[in-house]
Amino acid sequence: MLHLSILLWLPALFGLLGLLVPARHVRWVGVLGAVLALAFSIVLVLDFEPHGSAFQHVTDTTWISALGVRYQLAVTGLNVWLVLLTTVGFAFSSLWIATTSLGTDPRAKHVILHLGIAQTAVLGALLAQDLILFVAFFDLMLIPFFFLTAQFGNGTNEERVRATIKMIVYTLVGSLLMLVAAIAVGVLATPDGQAVSYNIQEIAQRGVPEGSQGWLFACFAAAFLVKMPAFPIHGWLADGYKAMPLPILAVFSGVLSKVAVYGFLQIALPILPQGTADLRWVVLILAVLSILYASSLALTTFNARLVLAYSSVAQLGFITLGVMSLRPDGASGALLQSVNHGVAVFGAFLAVAILGRRTGGSEDLRDMGGAATKMPVFAVLFIVVTYAVLAMPGTANFVGEFLILRGAWEGTAQGLAIVASLGVALAAVYALRLFIRGSHNRVAAKVEPREGTRPELALMAIPVVLIAALAFHPQQTVKAADDATTRAVQRAAIVVGPDHVRKILEADPSARNIAPEPFADVPPSAGTVRPIGGARTTGPASQSDPATDPNTGRAVGVDPSTGQATTPSGGAAGSTVQVDPSTGQTVDPSTGQPVEPPSAQTEGAGR
Amino acid sequence: MSPAEAAWIVLLLPLLGSVVLGLGFRVWRGAQAGIIGTASVGLAFVFTLVSLISLLGRKEEGTRQITSSLYEYVNVGGVKVELSILVDPLSLVMLMVVTGVSTLIHLYSLAYMRGDNGYTRFFSYLNFFVFSMLVLVLAGNFVLLIVGWGLVGAASYMLISFWYRRNTATTAGIKAFVINVVGDIGLVLGVILLLRHTGTVDFLEAFHGAKETFGEHGNGSLTAGLLLVMVGAFAKSAQLPFHTWLPDAMEGPTPVSSLIHAATMVTAGVYLIARLHPFMELSQTAQTVGMVVGCLTLLVAGTIGLVQTDLKRVIAYSTMSQIGYMIMGVSAGAYFASMFHLATHAFFKALLFMAAGSVIAAMASEQNLDKMGGFKKAMPFTYGAFVIGGLALSGIPPFSGFFSKDEILSVIGEQGGAYWLLYVAGYAGAFLTAVYTWRMIFRAFWGPPVEQAKELEGGHLYHAPDHRNPATGELEDTEVGFPGPEHHIAERAPAMKLAMGTLALLAILGGLLGIPKVLTPLEKFLEPTFEAGLAGHAVHPGNGIIIVGLVIGTIVGAAGIYVAYLIWGKPLSQGQPATTHSSKWQAKFAPVHRFFLNKWYFDELIDYAIVRPVRWFGRFAHDTFERLVVGGAIVGGTSGAVRGASALVRRLQSGYMRAYSAVVLSGLAVLLVYFLTQS
């Protein structure tokens, strides 16, 4: 049992501790805080049980009792890897800051403090299981970045201010809408005579009146889409990215945008299934437009940062596509891709910074070129990062993209998946264009190529090692998400319709009995249930669905006395007949041998 | 050692070599790097033999297809992928070809690339390519196949752009990469579509239930899935209309063209279709598309090859054309024949490229045929190698290409009906092949010797006063390797001689792998792959058509050579300008010549249809849409709010939090109003 409050407040605490230290040393306090948080989150990931309880390491105390707001934190399959991404990102950023002038700035204390607060806020938003707590942290998350941009950003005073204002205006509108929606959700879900609760799980169980779900979903979606950002509400992006100092920008782009994705999975989908189902096409189309539009911008801009900025928009379009496919595979792919993209972006922004130092501070692609000869080690690290950005098969980014495209193909419309996949080709163009213009071709006039310094290369090695680690064993990352994404999408998927559920179960029969809203409780639309595993017919119609009791139509694995679904891990321990997902055959878990499913045997199982 | 164990070692060795060279690039300079690179691939070849012998030791039926898994790569949401390899006769044949030819090309590069500044980098990349290619052919499931597919694309990109200071090289690299990514997308979507029905990505499992899954005659999903997969195959194998990257890929060093863009990677599409044969046989449409595309490609590429003047590009078009035969054959069910041709083509095409590399080195990296001539006497070994390769390519008996190409065509001819069109087109293509192949030989080796050849005859290797990009004439930046001060020709480098000699031998004797009806070891060996789970769909041509084919093939090949001789080879009477015969022909067919010279305008078509619209849209988005709509309408609509907020931010700058409390308060006010109206 690990106390999540320690992790949550540790970064902010070290930010405050930094105030007590002389300005020249404060950067190391920041590093220490970030590294401790990183160590903590590594323990969390190692300790996480993918098929265990939905909420692990729960912290739950009263916060504002009059309003029913509670201080509830928990680790779930949705947030555990994002927590690690966050701590990695902030550790990376604070190490980077320690090697730059930002770390030795007389005002370095501000940097460290803001960064600490920002990390605490991000972690809070990820861990919060209370809606109001989430909203509070979600809004707090951006405030340090406004200060950092306005105080330490690039460009003239006026440019920084303009950029900061744009960011504030955009995100404020979104945040206010979300706050309104959050409070409304809690109130509307409360049955007469009961106390208001903002526990996300509880709101989902109580249910928000279907008629209100549409506009509530729209409010949440607006807040999340602005933060990502998505087309066409990305107006703050270009100025904001140009103004932010690069070490700050890396973590901003790599981590903060992912919280918005997480918001969809954690909040919008479970508590507003009807709204999600009704409005998902709007979000899906915005996602695909984001991919195409941002890619075409990334192809044509000459600002190296903006290439990455627009590539982030395109990637988040993909990730949103995966979430809104309302399928476990698409959503798991989206989570995996969030982690992958974050890591790749850390490396990419660092590469831009390193190249910028060799072109006299210019980040214009036309001023770059030819650096690779004198900096071979850097060039190799850079191309690995480039491959991750463009989701080369062999990287985990490809696995994420594969899962997302599969989710989109099966869960939305095939045409949408095909159009979205054009973004993959465009990604290859803009990512390689950045690499080639950055390090190949003739040596540009302004360039003074010299190999990366030790700190530069050591920093650059961090994302590269992570990319390699993710690439060799992507299962390590996605296995935590498997059940959790099923939980996240199941309510919305059920609202979308039995066909949608049927397709999910065809692909993954093990998704059937996951609490709290098992798909097995959905009455199959008569006659449309095809056997698992495609059009293969393995037996008479009554046995066509081996995991369903032919007499009652209920899923085997549901405890008949309580009506509660038994989790698959619990089922596997007993004598439950399992279905081999690859073949659709019924398999005896003790022997692994396929068994013919005579109905009597199936019936007996799970009782 | 079991076949699978050996195969894992085969897979690991080049990766190890690549990493060792990559990490130790400061340590392994000079010849050491080449030796490490060559040894790792050579050892991989040895272990391939071990695997082969071990597999041949398994006599019982059904024991020659082995899936071996290392660990679970992904298993989420019903997508279950093992990191597994499939060792069966088909993958072993590919393994033999890939590791065997790679070893020889590494050996060749040992000498050929010696003058390059990026010597270590070259071998690291080349080893990485071999690893990627091995992943591709050994993959035990669709996802791992795509991984290999993508990795070879990346390796190919890095090697095409090897001399990255050349603008032409980086442009060619990104073009190749992007077209291949388009292919990857096709493959990914195709696999996603097939996966819905098969429920598994594992090859053997998916094939096992192919008929139950898709029905006796396939269905629409199967056809759609296969067509998407074939987009991947066409892109990788440079088939119409995804072929435009291959000629440009000749920007890479010649050993790269020889290994990746002739012998191995570009044949991956053929391998893929052969691998998916249990599916292909259920879909008549997919088969037809494959045959037609292959056939068109072999004709189009042949015509372009007739008129190009860049030596390497002519061979590149020839490669395209030969792969056209294989794609046509493998789609028509001629699996043995196509794999046979894949192997012999790897031998003689690698040989031709190596010989071309030798000539280009003698010309101090000039590749234009117009400027070559008369190297016969100066480079007898290179000439001999080129002629052997040329005879094999033209299908002259008893060279290897003779048997393998005719085998493909006789299987197609045997099926009668509309297949006759393909049969005839195939022989027309063979005629073109002979003409353009011998055009190269006559123009480069015959005729009066050029200055470079004369200098070489005098015992001195020609060096250009300054190095220019052969494609643009631009002065080269020589910091990045080749063309460095040294050139290496086969006559003076034993390593190159050894590599070319071995390939020449294989090009001559390769036919022994499959002389129809007489000696068919390859066919017998491959049987377990193509027979298992099938109704024996493979066509066996009768004696009559085989003999007729062999005769026609010989006549067509000889006729092609003779025509080439008339145009480019016939000795000129005194005083005639060197290009008399050919310029007469050019004048006679001027419009056709221009059409072929411009490569049927495929590049222009793609440029106008895709590249330009995308660029235009990007600029429009930047200059207009971003400014007016995103920046204007959306922000403009809230400009009042911006002005209001800017006052707040100015205070925020001075460090006050009042602005924020104001914001939060106003938010609360909104809420208050809401709840008051609700209650």
Side-chain angles (χ1 to χ4, degrees):
Chain A
M1 177 72 200
L2 295 153
H3 214 294
L4 291 178
S5 290
I6 300 173
L7 172 65
L8 174 59
W9 297 106
L10 195 105
L13 184 74
F14 270 78
L16 287 169
L17 273 181
L19 296 177
L20 309 173
V21 176
R24 352 181 223 115
H25 299 309
V26 68
R27 51 193 168 143
W28 300 114
V29 176
V31 171
L32 183 64
V35 169
L36 284 177
L38 173 62
F40 198 109
S41 61
I42 290 174
V43 175
L44 273 188
V45 166
L46 294 178
D47 197 55
F48 187 78
E49 285 171 39
H51 299 293
S53 159
F55 302 95
Q56 302 183 13
H57 306 299
V58 180
T59 296
D60 185 3
T61 49
T62 311
W63 184 25
I64 312 172
S65 57
L67 297 178
V69 180
R70 298 180 70 82
Y71 175 76
Q72 290 171 318
L73 307 173
V75 173
T76 68
L78 295 182
N79 66 21
V80 62
W81 277 85
L82 290 177
V83 166
L84 183 61
L85 174 73
T86 306
T87 54
V88 167
F90 277 90
F92 179 74
S93 178
S94 47
L95 272 172
W96 183 355
I97 286 170
T99 67
T100 60
S101 61
L102 212 54
T104 49
D105 193 279
R107 294 171 300 170
K109 288 184 180 186
H110 295 245
V111 180
I112 302 302
L113 177 63
H114 287 311
L115 219 55
I117 294 174
Q119 186 175 3
T120 290
V122 174
L123 289 172
L126 290 174
L127 293 171
Q129 300 302 324
D130 184 284
L131 190 52
I132 299 300
L133 196 64
F134 170 84
V135 172
F137 279 123
F138 193 83
D139 287 340
L140 177 64
M141 184 166 91
L142 276 173
I143 293 168
F145 288 93
F146 299 150
F147 284 102
L148 288 168
T149 309
Q151 288 186 13
F152 301 97
N154 311 305
T156 62
N157 229 9
E158 199 182 323
E159 283 170 349
R160 294 205 304 265
V161 171
R162 196 183 60 211
T164 313
I165 291 169
K166 264 196 184 175
M167 283 165 68
I168 291 179
V169 170
Y170 267 94
T171 51
L172 216 58
V173 172
S175 294
L176 287 177
L177 289 174
M178 181 165 69
L179 183 61
V180 171
I183 294 173
V185 158
V187 173
L188 290 174
T190 309
D192 284 337
Q194 287 190 30
V196 181
S197 167
Y198 286 102
N199 179 286
I200 294 164
Q201 177 86 352
E202 194 157 348
I203 295 175
Q205 228 131 40
R206 286 173 169 180
V208 177
E210 284 181 8
S212 311
Q213 287 197 13
W215 71 267
L216 288 170
F217 178 82
C219 288
F220 278 109
F224 297 146
L225 291 176
V226 164
K227 198 128 314 182
M228 281 177 181
F231 174 85
I233 38 181
H234 62 279
W236 60 269
L237 179 84
D239 285 342
Y241 268 56
K242 273 193 263 186
M244 226 179 268
L246 274 172
I248 313 283
L249 181 55
V251 76
F252 182 81
S253 173
V255 176
L256 266 76
S257 53
K258 309 305 180 305
V259 184
V261 176
Y262 171 75
F264 272 115
L265 279 173
Q266 164 82 347
I267 294 164
L269 266 53
I271 65 178
L272 301 167
Q274 186 69 44
T276 308
D278 290 346
L279 291 176
R280 77 172 178 135
W281 284 99
V282 178
V283 181
L284 281 170
I285 286 166
L286 284 182
V288 172
L289 286 178
S290 292
I291 294 171
L292 298 181
Y293 181 79
S295 300
S296 70
L297 283 177
L299 284 178
T300 39
T301 180
F302 282 101
N303 184 318
R305 278 178 196 231
L306 288 189
V307 174
L308 295 176
Y310 294 128
S311 100
S312 287
V313 175
Q315 281 303 314
L316 281 155
F318 264 108
I319 294 171
T320 312
L321 190 65
V323 171
M324 282 295 147
S325 71
L326 303 184
R327 283 172 57 92
D329 44 8
S332 300
L335 274 183
L336 175 62
Q337 198 66 339
S338 297
V339 175
N340 294 331
H341 176 252
V343 171
V345 155
F346 300 152
F349 277 113
L350 180 61
V352 168
I354 292 174
L355 287 172
R357 282 175 209 153
R358 281 149 185 79
T359 49
S362 167
E363 283 164 9
D364 193 303
L365 288 177
R366 285 164 295 197
D367 292 339
M368 298 180 174
T373 319
K374 289 277 159 54
M375 35 196 326
V377 178
F378 168 77
V380 170
L381 298 175
F382 189 17
I383 195 139
V384 175
V385 170
T386 305
Y387 283 153
V389 169
L390 61 81
M392 255 266 302
T395 63
N397 302 57
F398 163 71
V399 177
E401 222 159 67
F402 185 88
L403 291 168
I404 288 171
L405 282 176
R406 171 145 201 262
W409 181 280
E410 300 283 345
T412 65
Q414 294 178 359
L416 206 65
I418 291 171
V419 175
S421 68
L422 293 178
V424 181
L426 295 175
V429 184
Y430 63 67
L432 271 188
R433 175 172 172 265
L434 178 66
F435 175 78
I436 291 172
R437 289 237 180 202
S439 51
H440 282 174
N441 289 341
R442 292 297 173 96
V443 184
K446 278 193 181 179
V447 176
E448 296 167 32
R450 52 176 195 280
E451 180 61 291
T453 61
R454 263 165 214 271
E456 281 175 344
L457 293 181
L459 269 177
M460 193 76 189
I462 296 173
V464 170
V465 167
L466 293 175
I467 287 167
L470 288 166
F472 273 103
H473 201 188
Q475 175 64 11
Q476 186 63 37
T477 313
V478 282
K479 75 177 175 199
D482 200 0
D483 286 1
T485 48
T486 308
R487 283 189 199 103
V489 299
Q490 55 194 183
R491 283 196 175 85
I494 289 168
V495 176
V496 169
D499 265 7
H500 190 77
V501 174
R502 178 176 53 75
K503 273 188 179 173
I504 292 175
L505 292 179
E506 265 175 22
D508 183 14
S510 69
R512 181 174 292 270
N513 294 319
I514 291 170
E517 198 82 12
F519 288 131
D521 291 354
V522 189
S525 52
T528 60
V529 177
R530 285 196 296 154
I532 293 164
R536 195 178 305 150
T537 44
T538 48
S542 65
Q543 290 172 19
S544 63
D545 196 347
T548 307
D549 187 318
N551 299 326
T552 61
R554 297 194 60 173
V556 178
V558 175
D559 186 336
S561 58
T562 61
Q564 285 288 309
T566 50
T567 57
S569 57
S575 61
T576 311
V577 174
Q578 285 193 319
V579 179
D580 184 337
S582 57
T583 60
Q585 273 185 310
T586 315
V587 173
D588 185 341
S590 56
T591 61
Q593 292 298 311
V595 284
E596 285 301 313
S599 52
Q601 191 188 346
T602 318
E603 230 173 270
R607 296 255 161 118
Chain B
M1 195 178 285
S2 80
E5 283 165 10
W8 279 112
I9 296 173
V10 172
L11 195 58
L12 205 63
L13 280 165
L15 179 65
L16 207 66
S18 174
V19 171
V20 164
L21 288 173
L23 292 179
F25 74 101
R26 289 192 207 284
V27 188
W28 318 113
R29 282 184 176 280
Q32 284 170 317
I35 291 168
I36 293 174
T38 312
S40 71
V41 180
L43 265 177
F45 178 67
V46 172
F47 276 96
T48 304
L49 288 179
V50 171
S51 181
L52 176 71
I53 292 165
S54 171
L55 195 78
L56 286 174
R58 300 187 170 207
K59 301 285 185 218
E60 276 170 66
E61 203 164 306
T63 55
R64 285 197 180 177
Q65 289 181 304
I66 307 144
T67 306
S68 161
S69 167
L70 214 54
Y71 55 81
E72 201 170 56
Y73 184 65
V74 187
N75 180 9
V76 67
V79 180
K80 188 172 182 300
V81 183
E82 296 275 337
L83 194 69
S84 63
I85 58 172
L86 169 60
V87 183
D88 72 343
L90 177 61
S91 59
L92 260 177
V93 167
M94 288 301 289
L95 224 54
M96 292 289 293
V97 172
V98 171
T99 56
V101 175
S102 293
T103 307
L104 293 174
I105 288 168
H106 274 73
L107 192 64
Y108 176 89
S109 313
L110 210 59
Y112 189 76
M113 296 298 287
R114 195 65 194 83
D116 199 292
N117 289 339
Y119 195 65
T120 313
R121 183 166 63 99
F122 181 79
F123 279 98
S124 180
Y125 285 3
L126 216 54
N127 267 0
F128 177 68
F129 165 75
V130 177
F131 163 72
S132 314
M133 190 68 204
L134 294 174
V135 172
L136 196 163
V137 298
L138 278 173
N141 57 57
F142 284 104
V143 174
L144 219 56
L145 177 95
I146 300 173
V147 169
W149 206 261
L151 288 178
V152 289
S156 158
Y157 158 73
M158 292 195 289
L159 284 161
I160 293 169
S161 298
F162 185 73
W163 293 318
Y164 53 75
R165 288 282 170 83
R166 281 183 184 173
N167 242 326
T168 46
T170 51
T171 314
I174 196 168
K175 184 176 180 183
F177 193 90
V178 172
I179 293 179
N180 275 298
V181 167
V182 172
D184 293 353
I185 295 170
L187 193 52
V188 166
L189 293 179
V191 168
I192 287 173
L193 184 51
L194 293 176
L195 172 60
R196 174 195 290 178
H197 299 276
T198 60
T200 171
V201 293
D202 185 271
F203 281 142
L204 292 185
E205 278 177 42
F207 297 155
H208 194 67
K211 259 187 200 154
E212 291 82 56
T213 310
F214 295 107
E216 203 66 48
H217 299 290
N219 58 23
S221 308
L222 176 71
T223 300
L226 284 176
L227 290 179
L228 283 167
V229 166
M230 282 161 84
V231 168
F234 294 160
K236 191 70 64 192
S237 291
Q239 300 294 294
L240 295 182
F242 302 101
H243 65 282
T244 54
W245 65 271
L246 184 63
D248 288 5
M250 296 299 118
E251 282 290 336
T254 305
V256 172
S257 314
S258 175
L259 176 58
I260 302 183
H261 305 121
T264 54
M265 183 186 86
V266 284
T267 58
V270 182
Y271 166 76
L272 177 64
I273 295 178
R275 180 52 85 201
L276 297 186
H277 70 98
F279 289 165
M280 287 296 287
E281 283 170 2
L282 298 178
S283 172
Q284 187 65 48
T285 315
Q287 285 190 318
T288 309
V289 169
M291 284 185 280
V292 170
V293 169
C295 180
L296 288 178
T297 305
L298 81 88
L299 288 175
V300 168
T303 57
I304 300 174
L306 282 179
V307 298
Q308 295 300 311
T309 53
D310 183 310
L311 178 60
K312 280 176 75 181
R313 282 177 187 241
V314 176
I315 311 182
Y317 280 108
S318 157
T319 303
M320 232 177 101
S321 164
Q322 293 299 307
I323 297 170
Y325 280 102
M326 299 176 214
I327 294 275
M328 180 169 87
V330 81
S331 303
Y335 307 119
F336 315 115
S338 298
M339 292 308 294
F340 182 24
H341 196 55
L342 188 155
T344 59
H345 174 259
F347 302 148
F348 62 69
K349 194 50 72 62
L351 177 64
L352 279 175
F353 262 118
M354 285 181 176
S358 189
V359 175
I360 290 166
M363 292 289 295
S365 73
E366 176 59 62
Q367 304 182 6
N368 194 336
L369 274 173
D370 288 342
K371 298 184 181 165
M372 296 179 187
F375 271 107
K376 190 158 64 171
K377 217 155 123 205
M379 309 179 80
F381 184 83
T382 306
Y383 175 61
F386 213 114
V387 166
I388 291 171
L391 285 170
L393 176 57
S394 317
I396 301 298
F399 294 89
S400 55
F402 167 70
F403 295 106
S404 55
K405 184 181 72 234
D406 283 309
E407 176 111 22
I408 292 180
L409 292 177
S410 59
V411 172
I412 288 173
E414 178 70 22
Q415 305 186 40
Y419 288 85
W420 273 95
L421 272 176
L422 304 176
Y423 187 68
V424 173
Y427 280 111
F431 176 74
L432 294 176
T433 307
V435 176
Y436 66 66
T437 308
W438 285 81
R439 168 175 174 261
M440 286 190 287
I441 294 176
F442 291 132
R443 295 193 67 174
F445 293 98
W446 288 37
V450 292
E451 184 196 342
Q452 288 89 338
K454 277 186 208 146
E455 216 174 315
L456 192 57
E457 279 174 45
H460 178 253
L461 199 55
Y462 172 79
H463 283 79
D466 50 7
H467 292 290
R468 291 184 177 277
N469 186 331
T472 59
E474 203 184 351
L475 204 61
E476 290 268 35
D477 180 338
T478 49
E479 197 180 6
V480 179
F482 202 84
E486 299 172 55
H487 317 298
H488 298 274
I489 60 169
E491 274 70 17
R492 299 184 176 189
M496 287 165 75
K497 258 191 185 163
L498 182 59
M500 287 165 71
T502 313
L503 279 174
L505 214 61
L506 287 168
I508 298 170
L509 300 177
L512 295 179
L513 286 172
I515 298 172
K517 304 276 171 185
V518 182
L519 197 64
T520 55
L522 187 69
E523 183 166 349
K524 286 219 179 70
F525 178 63
L526 279 170
E527 246 168 24
T529 295
F530 293 116
E531 225 70 13
L534 284 185
H537 195 281
V539 183
H540 294 284
N543 285 335
I545 196 156
I546 288 174
I547 291 164
V548 169
L550 293 179
V551 172
I552 297 178
T554 313
I555 294 172
V556 165
I561 296 174
Y562 183 65
V563 168
Y565 172 77
L566 286 182
I567 303 177
W568 294 286
K570 208 161 129 188
L572 300 154
S573 44
Q574 283 295 319
Q576 257 182 314
T579 50
T580 307
H581 299 308
S582 58
S583 52
K584 251 189 257 160
W585 282 75
Q586 269 183 30
K588 217 183 277 179
F589 296 102
V592 181
H593 179 259
R594 197 165 49 244
F595 187 64
F596 291 166
L597 198 61
N598 284 301
K599 303 165 278 186
W600 293 52
Y601 295 97
F602 271 104
D603 274 309
E604 286 75 6
L605 188 72
I606 292 169
D607 191 43
Y608 278 100
I610 299 167
V611 179
R612 277 167 196 251
V614 171
R615 280 219 193 108
W616 173 84
F617 181 77
R619 275 198 299 274
F620 163 77
H622 261 294
D623 302 342
T624 313
F625 198 81
E626 280 287 285
R627 203 159 47 82
L628 292 183
V629 181
V630 178
I634 294 179
V635 175
T638 50
S639 67
V642 173
R643 270 193 289 278
S646 68
L648 298 182
V649 172
R650 269 195 289 281
R651 285 189 212 154
L652 176 152
Q653 281 245 295
S654 51
Y656 286 106
M657 287 298 288
R658 280 207 300 267
Y660 268 92
S661 36
V663 168
V664 174
L665 281 177
S666 60
L668 289 176
V670 171
L671 286 173
L672 200 64
V673 170
Y674 172 78
F675 285 111
L676 285 176
T677 52
Q678 284 286 304
S679 55

